[in-house]
Amino acid sequence: MEAGVFLGIDHGGTTTTALVFEPGVGKVSSHSVAMPKQTPQPGLVEHRPDDFLHSSIQAAHGALQASSMSWRDVRAVGIANQGETSMAWSTENGKSLGPALSWEDRRTAEICEKLVAGSVDDLIRERTGIMMDPYFSASKFKWLMDRVPEVRQAAQKGQLRLGGTDSYVIDRLTGGAVHATDAATASRTALFNLRSVIWDSDLLDAFGLEEECMPLIRPTVGDFGTICHPDVPAARPLITADAVDAHAALFAQGCWGPDSIKATYGTGAFIEATTGPSPVEPDGKLPVFIAWQLDEQVDYTIEGGVFAVGSAIDWCVGAGLIASAEASEKLANSVADTGGVTFVPSFTGLAAPHWESKARACLYGLGLDSQPGHIARALLDGIAFQCAEIVLEISQRLAKSPKVVRADGGPSRNKYLVQRQADLLGIPVNVSLEPDMTALGAAQLAAIGAGQMTRQDVADAALETLTYQPNISADRREADWASWAKAIELAIERSGK
């Protein structure tokens, strides 16, 4: 077996994390750097494309330094991308064109409404397993084409490339030699045929896009080129894996069937279960994606997202309602209940299963006796309810009750939040004690892509977990859900639906 370690790079919502992984040993070290994000107007969330490249290299340098290693020790790299975050750049000089529109961005709502009126939504549902929504990449690519002159000019010259955080970073790390993504990432664009596993020409036409601008589709593990960048020494490691961030964590958790559901909590929360080589029939509530293409097989997943989890907590901190994200747990436990306060933290719309992009966050029931603890408790309850809704929807869709939810990500360290999750679901929640599951999954996939590990090796790797058991009565659970149903009804009503 050829010696060397593997780097997993995770493009998170607020940080980029790199993790050094050695087969047979496990995680060696990790390092995170801030990922700048701009919110120029309400509903607009964007990044500078170059920040994904620079933060990836900086995080990798930090992780290698922490383990007393260098790039010469790296056998290969795996990238976990943001899925729907979308950007454009030029083949002439690699220069980015316009902003990177975040998965959180809602500026394309009007574009989506017009295309729904033109029956494009029906075509998307038929071909892709998802639905028309600003969350997905297609409308973001169209916005860049329509609103950024440099993008149109590059397209007219045949010099335009479109893609996500993975495609851009791979392109720049390989000196422009590779413009590619994996099938799973492509399945989150609303432009990809779920069953044929190719870009769909009818959908590309509907959004005014050319296939020559889109990245090539490659398996999740395999050849994504050789790193050749001035900030990476001459070791020239390979890139052998590319995965959606949520799917990388799903893989590392070993959730390879409907018996368990994975919930990754971060800026948002992404909750999913794999369904094997056959997709479930889309129902318009829960998107159906490709999980990964591995060992010449495509595996599918069914997923729901909560758009504001860590970002909702950060908003409360910024607004002065909570001292810090860490303080939210202690505050929530400082009171016996919410004191009549209700918080629906739908800051960037309601996703599955409601799909109301115009919904805004609702905080109500405040009185002169309301305390910060009531607000913190209501906030964490609102997050827990939204996540639990998706778990129950997945269970109903698969006609199979999961035995456990496997959780990871920063907010999963909030004990009040996770206990509330278990209570609302009535099943255990196992929280991984590894804080960097997404980067770990990317590194494991890179090792598989380099032929240094197998899928069974990942399955055999023991994960340390902390288990939360439900501890409320069925009557209490039923009453809590009835209250939440009224809160969601109000949030949707206030959206003008």
Side-chain angles (χ1 to χ4, degrees):
M1 180 178 290
E2 188 172 346
V5 297
F6 297 87
L7 268 178
I9 297 175
D10 169 25
H11 295 152
T14 56
T15 61
T16 296
T17 298
L19 180 145
V20 177
F21 173 80
E22 184 174 352
V25 175
K27 174 183 175 180
V28 179
S29 63
S30 65
H31 183 73
S32 297
V33 299
M35 179 61 211
K37 178 166 63 177
Q38 295 79 44
T39 54
Q41 295 179 29
L44 274 61
V45 186
E46 60 189 42
H47 304 269
R48 290 181 293 270
D50 283 349
D51 284 338
F52 287 104
L53 173 64
H54 297 150
S55 65
S56 296
I57 294 173
Q58 291 167 13
H61 282 326
L64 290 168
Q65 186 176 26
S67 57
S68 300
M69 295 183 182
S70 72
W71 278 101
R72 295 186 182 278
D73 298 302
V74 177
R75 174 85 168 85
V77 175
I79 294 174
N81 67 76
Q82 282 192 4
E84 297 77 14
T85 297
S86 307
M87 61 197 77
W89 64 99
S90 170
T91 61
E92 183 179 20
N93 50 20
K95 180 182 177 182
S96 59
L97 306 171
L101 305 188
S102 168
W103 59 270
E104 300 175 89
D105 192 274
R106 311 302 289 176
R107 76 185 69 192
T108 64
E110 186 176 339
I111 291 174
C112 291
E113 289 173 2
K114 289 180 178 178
L115 289 170
V116 167
S119 300
V120 175
D121 186 46
D122 294 336
L123 184 63
I124 290 175
R125 290 171 185 266
E126 174 194 341
R127 304 284 176 86
T128 72
I130 56 181
M131 65 291 296
M132 180 73 75
D133 190 85
Y135 174 55
F136 302 111
S137 304
S139 63
K140 294 178 171 63
F141 291 142
K142 181 172 175 55
W143 186 93
L144 288 166
M145 289 284 289
D146 291 347
R147 301 295 184 88
V148 181
E150 295 85 357
V151 174
R152 290 198 303 276
Q153 292 165 9
Q156 291 166 0
K157 295 177 182 178
Q159 297 175 343
L160 178 65
R161 285 185 171 177
L162 299 171
T165 68
D166 59 329
S167 297
Y168 181 71
V169 170
I170 290 170
D171 180 288
R172 294 295 80 218
L173 287 177
T174 61
V178 178
H179 182 215
T181 190
D182 85 315
T185 308
S187 74
R188 306 178 77 94
T189 61
L191 298 167
F192 193 72
N193 193 298
L194 189 71
R195 294 169 181 81
S196 302
V197 196
I198 58 173
W199 294 117
D200 191 286
S201 59
D202 292 332
L203 287 171
L204 289 169
D205 288 344
F207 285 89
L209 303 173
E210 299 289 340
E211 185 171 347
E212 65 184 25
C213 301
M214 306 302 294
L216 297 174
I217 306 300
R218 296 187 177 178
T220 304
V221 298
D223 181 11
F224 287 90
T226 301
I227 294 179
C228 180
H229 189 277
D231 291 335
V232 177
R236 296 176 64 84
L238 305 173
I239 303 174
T240 57
D242 178 30
V244 177
D245 48 9
H247 301 175
L250 180 73
F251 188 82
Q253 287 272 24
C255 295
W256 300 338
D259 288 338
S260 59
I261 292 177
K262 185 274 306 179
T264 294
Y265 302 86
T267 301
F270 298 93
I271 301 158
E272 57 190 328
T274 55
T275 62
S278 300
V280 299
E281 195 62 31
D283 65 355
K285 292 183 178 181
L286 292 172
V288 179
F289 299 120
I290 292 171
W292 44 70
Q293 188 175 9
L294 184 64
D295 298 330
E296 299 184 352
Q297 176 179 304
V298 171
D299 285 334
Y300 292 88
T301 181
I302 184 169
E303 179 185 299
V306 177
F307 292 158
V309 175
S311 59
I313 297 172
D314 290 343
W315 180 87
C316 286
V317 173
L321 300 176
I322 297 173
S324 67
E326 294 73 21
S328 62
E329 177 188 332
K330 184 176 180 180
L331 273 175
N333 284 318
S334 71
V335 293
D337 53 38
T338 65
V341 177
T342 298
F343 203 151
V344 182
S346 49
F347 287 92
T348 52
L350 286 168
H354 307 287
W355 293 107
E356 179 46 62
S357 64
K358 293 183 180 179
R360 302 299 296 271
C362 297
L363 172 62
Y364 59 91
L366 295 168
L368 292 176
D369 59 342
S370 297
Q371 302 171 27
H374 294 131
I375 296 174
R377 197 177 183 102
L379 166 67
L380 297 177
D381 278 6
I383 293 170
F385 271 113
Q386 286 184 286
C387 294
E389 275 187 312
I390 294 172
V391 173
L392 295 175
E393 194 74 36
I394 290 175
S395 302
Q396 182 177 350
R397 190 72 184 85
L398 298 180
K400 189 176 183 67
S401 298
K403 298 176 182 178
V404 66
V405 172
R406 298 181 183 179
D408 59 79
S412 70
R413 294 193 289 273
N414 187 306
K415 295 179 181 179
Y416 177 86
L417 173 62
V418 182
Q419 183 60 58
R420 196 71 170 113
Q421 199 76 90
D423 289 343
L424 292 174
L425 290 169
I427 59 175
V429 177
N430 286 356
V431 176
S432 170
L433 297 183
E434 168 53 58
D436 302 314
M437 287 298 290
T438 300
L440 175 62
Q444 290 172 332
L445 288 165
I448 292 173
Q452 303 300 295
M453 282 184 73
T454 66
R455 186 166 172 161
Q456 188 59 47
D457 292 333
V458 176
D460 291 341
L463 289 174
E464 288 189 84
T465 62
L466 179 63
T467 300
Y468 293 77
Q469 296 286 352
N471 62 9
I472 64 172
S473 68
D475 288 344
R476 163 75 185 282
R477 186 177 300 117
E478 184 177 349
D480 286 349
W481 276 108
S483 296
W484 179 251
K486 293 177 181 178
I488 283 292
E489 183 179 353
L490 178 61
I492 293 175
E493 180 183 315
R494 290 180 63 85
S495 73
K497 184 173 181 179

